[in-house]
Amino acid sequence: MTKLLELKNVSKTFPGVKALQNVQLDLNAGEVLGLCGENGAGKSTLMKILTGIYTPDPGAEIWLQGQKVDVRDVNHARDLGLSIIHQELNMVPDLTVAQNLYLGRPGSSKRGFVDDKALNRRAAELFERLNMRINPADRVGDLSVARQQMVEIARALDFDSKILVMDEPTAALTIAETDALMDMIRDFVTPETGLIYISHRMPEIEEITDRVTVLRDGQYIDTVVTDDVEMREIISLMVGREVSGDARPRTTVDSDEVLLKVEGLNTKKLLRNVNFEVRKGEVLGFAGLVGAGRTEVARAVFGADPKESGEIYVHGKRVNVRNAGDAVRAGIGYLSEDRKTYGLLLEQDVKYNAVLAAMNDFSIGGFVLDGKIRTVGQEYSDKLRVRTPSVNQLLGKLSGGNQQKVVIAKWLVRNSDILIFDEPTRGIDVGAKEEIYTLIEELCAAGKAIIVISSELPEVLRVSHRIAVMAHGHITGVLDNAEATQENIMELATLGKAQLEGNAA
């Protein structure tokens, strides 16, 4: 089999951190190679070296089709046929889709002026070829995160790439969009091309890859043929131990005290007569398909979106939540699914972000208590195992999974009694997920009331004592964990809109 790519003896040192140590990797022509490992294992760092973003330590070798090359920068990498789709979006929100696609590329302007008609025409042809339904003239900032991700994918595929790297490309995609992406990958891979696929979603690894290379703690562990192993074996290679995929909550709810009660919640666009309650020490999971209304419930309860009607009770007392500030003062914390937009300040350091929701406790007379911030930031960084050289590190320099942990720390520092976690482990590897699940159980034991919204049914079953299932803005049923299965959850999640409206009538 022809070797399309070989990486040998790749190391990378950052100040205080050995990110990679003598890593190897090879990609065959016509192959999809999975690249797996926990957050901080070095996957993204290795791919950034391959595509010219980082310079490796001396001694590293990159071979393309039998020729040794030195990748100078991103443009040189593209000239060599190397392209990467990053986990985090990298577009200009105020420009159109077409303008983002061809930004800085030949033919994007005429006599110094942007030729929007030509760009829109080129983009429309590209989207038609890729079977994407996206308007080239739409402003990128107005698109959903999922559709922005699809634009990123289209931009990478438009280059004449021989090797394409995809770093968590489906993190914000729907099931249908993920299926479309898998078809694109199959179309891209030919006897002359190859693709490296980084993902924490093991079903995708199992579906699309031919082989899988595993990294752990910056070191090469093994490469296996996908068809020859079970996914649990790959997970064990990643984390160095067995991880169960069918676990249930290890805690029980011992209190009847209701900390949060929602009655008759309606919003103008979607939610209809949503009712639920969460007890002290309980996790209430929210399951449903994309667009069912799970995030809309969270945002309405937290005051991020206006509600049309409905009542919210905290500790048995009615509270008027007009905005997020009202919710925070009432003891409600919200971990958004879009951490970069709503949860973090990427240009600030780890310790500052960790105390962001409780800044009044870290200042006196207008003076910030840096020592106290550093102490608390370090405490929660250690507790959540945030991988960072220092709590003084800028948050934007951390991996996506470690950024997510800092968002969780923010609400733990605030000591909110009611915590709403929307996709709490998105972008977090399977080993670190168990740490988050254990943390949620510890919060339950401390008497918190927790809502967990997740698109992963095994995750909902793992952490939730009860599960509220949604479809078309309605709660279609609430299941005790003991009776809940993926099958009966999906049955409730796929009820038709007409059927729900008929029942309501």
Side-chain angles (χ1 to χ4, degrees), residues 121 314 350:
R121 185 166 56 251
V314 175
V350 172

Side-chain angles (χ1 to χ4, degrees), residues 102-163:
Y102 301 108
L103 187 64
R105 295 174 61 182
S108 61
S109 62
K110 182 188 294 183
R111 297 176 183 175
F113 294 94
V114 175
D115 188 353
D116 282 318
K117 287 185 178 180
L119 296 187
N120 289 343
R121 185 166 56 251
R122 288 172 64 185
E125 292 170 356
L126 173 64
F127 290 141
E128 184 176 359
R129 175 160 54 88
L130 298 177
N131 196 29
M132 292 183 181
R133 296 183 179 180
I134 299 176
N135 185 348
D138 283 348
R139 178 179 169 273
V140 161
D142 294 332
L143 301 180
S144 68
V145 174
R147 295 184 76 79
Q148 289 183 36
Q149 181 70 58
M150 297 300 283
V151 175
E152 285 272 29
I153 292 167
R155 180 166 62 179
L157 293 177
D158 194 44
F159 287 99
D160 187 19
S161 303
K162 295 297 182 185
I163 298 172

Side-chain angles (χ1 to χ4, degrees), residues 18-252:
K18 187 77 170 178
L20 295 172
Q21 185 170 356
N22 298 325
V23 171
Q24 64 189 60
L25 177 145
D26 64 87
L27 174 68
N28 296 317
E31 176 184 56
V32 178
L33 176 72
L35 182 57
C36 292
E38 296 187 82
N39 285 112
K43 308 181 300 295
S44 296
T45 299
L46 183 64
M47 293 300 98
K48 287 177 180 178
I49 288 173
L50 173 63
T51 53
I53 298 169
Y54 290 160
T55 301
D57 293 349
E61 297 181 7
I62 300 176
W63 295 76
L64 293 175
Q65 296 179 299
Q67 299 293 318
K68 187 178 178 181
V69 298
D70 292 316
V71 184
R72 297 188 299 270
D73 53 38
V74 173
N75 290 330
H76 185 217
R78 286 175 176 166
D79 291 340
L80 293 170
L82 301 166
S83 292
I84 184 169
I85 300 170
H86 295 283
Q87 179 180 357
E88 307 299 345
L89 300 177
N90 185 28
M91 290 183 290
V92 182
D94 290 330
L95 297 184
T96 69
V97 168
Q99 289 166 352
N100 270 278
L101 280 174
Y102 301 108
L103 187 64
R105 295 174 61 182
S108 61
S109 62
K110 182 188 294 183
R111 297 176 183 175
F113 294 94
V114 175
D115 188 353
D116 282 318
K117 287 185 178 180
L119 296 187
N120 289 343
R121 185 166 56 251
R122 288 172 64 185
E125 292 170 356
L126 173 64
F127 290 141
E128 184 176 359
R129 175 160 54 88
L130 298 177
N131 196 29
M132 292 183 181
R133 296 183 179 180
I134 299 176
N135 185 348
D138 283 348
R139 178 179 169 273
V140 161
D142 294 332
L143 301 180
S144 68
V145 174
R147 295 184 76 79
Q148 289 183 36
Q149 181 70 58
M150 297 300 283
V151 175
E152 285 272 29
I153 292 167
R155 180 166 62 179
L157 293 177
D158 194 44
F159 287 99
D160 187 19
S161 303
K162 295 297 182 185
I163 298 172
L164 180 61
V165 179
M166 291 187 169
D167 191 351
E168 297 286 355
T170 65
L173 301 188
T174 65
I175 294 174
E177 288 166 336
T178 297
D179 290 341
L181 175 65
M182 296 298 158
D183 290 337
M184 290 178 209
I185 290 172
R186 295 184 184 99
D187 290 340
F188 172 81
V189 176
T190 70
E192 289 78 39
T193 62
L195 188 140
I196 299 173
Y197 192 88
I198 303 174
S199 180
H200 293 129
R201 299 184 175 185
M202 303 315 293
E204 295 174 13
I205 293 292
E206 185 174 24
E207 175 185 352
I208 201 64
T209 66
D210 300 292
R211 294 185 302 144
V212 179
T213 291
V214 178
L215 303 183
R216 185 169 72 232
D217 297 327
Q219 299 184 52
Y220 171 83
I221 299 300
D222 200 0
T223 297
V224 296
V225 176
T226 307
D227 288 342
D228 292 347
V229 298
E230 299 289 338
M231 287 302 103
R232 58 180 175 80
E233 297 176 60
I234 295 177
I235 293 171
S236 295
L237 290 172
M238 291 165 58
V239 303
R241 62 185 187 278
E242 291 288 340
V243 177
S244 174
D246 56 1
R248 299 291 176 121
R250 292 189 288 255
T251 60
T252 57

Side-chain angles (χ1 to χ4, degrees), residues 379-419:
E379 175 189 348
Y380 282 88
S381 179
D382 292 342
K383 185 174 184 178
L384 298 183
R385 214 180 80 176
V386 178
R387 296 188 180 183
T388 175
S390 164
V391 292
N392 298 319
Q393 175 74 285
L394 291 182
L395 197 63
K397 300 290 186 181
L398 270 58
S399 69
N402 283 300
Q403 291 176 7
Q404 191 82 318
K405 292 180 183 180
V406 175
V407 185
I408 296 173
K410 179 179 72 172
W411 293 113
L412 298 186
V413 172
R414 176 75 196 190
N415 198 28
S416 303
D417 287 335
I418 300 160
L419 298 169

